[in-house]
Amino acid sequence: MRILLVCSAGMSTSLLVTKMEKAAKEQGIEATMWAVSTDAADSNMAKADVVLIGPQIRFQLAEMKKKAAKYNIPVEAIPSVDYGMCNGPKVLAFATNLINNNK
């Protein structure tokens, strides 16, 4: 499972990536997660199974979905509460559900 997180600069999602990696390890889930800025999103989508965007760039969701369509991968905004609380386990579950529902 490869999870791409996208935010304005790629920095605010880095802490969330760390929490998600910890949750994946604790749950025995094989996953690779990384965070990038919106500028680097296009070049990273081809390597991902799912794209999660930060709530602060939710206004770009439709555009991101359009770009990801050529890779047949789901794109959704991270729920604001889970993002704000840096809830790694919940965001990991959110990503896993998106991937499973896309198969």
Side-chain angles (χ1 to χ4, degrees):
M1 178 166 44
R2 298 168 311 225
I3 304 168
L4 172 62
L5 282 78
V6 181
C7 71
S8 302
M11 292 172 38
S12 57
T13 51
S14 294
L15 181 58
L16 183 55
V17 165
T18 303
K19 301 276 188 173
M20 290 172 68
E21 288 172 337
K22 182 176 184 248
K25 187 176 180 182
E26 289 171 356
Q27 296 173 37
I29 296 172
E30 280 282 325
T32 302
M33 295 148 239
W34 70 105
V36 299
S37 68
T38 50
D39 294 339
D42 292 359
S43 60
N44 280 268
M45 281 184 185
K47 299 178 260 180
D49 295 318
V50 64
V51 177
L52 302 179
I53 67 169
Q56 72 275 30
I57 61 166
R58 182 181 302 263
F59 66 94
Q60 293 183 344
L61 184 59
E63 183 63 27
M64 290 280 188
K65 282 185 177 198
K66 195 185 314 179
K67 290 176 182 177
K70 64 183 166 191
Y71 304 112
N72 193 32
I73 55 173
V75 179
E76 285 300 333
I78 301 166
S80 299
V81 172
D82 296 334
Y83 186 86
M85 297 189 70
C86 226
N87 191 329
K90 276 192 110 172
V91 178
L92 178 62
F94 181 65
T96 302
N97 286 336
L98 289 170
I99 292 168
N100 290 338
N101 291 334
N102 193 53
K103 290 182 179 176

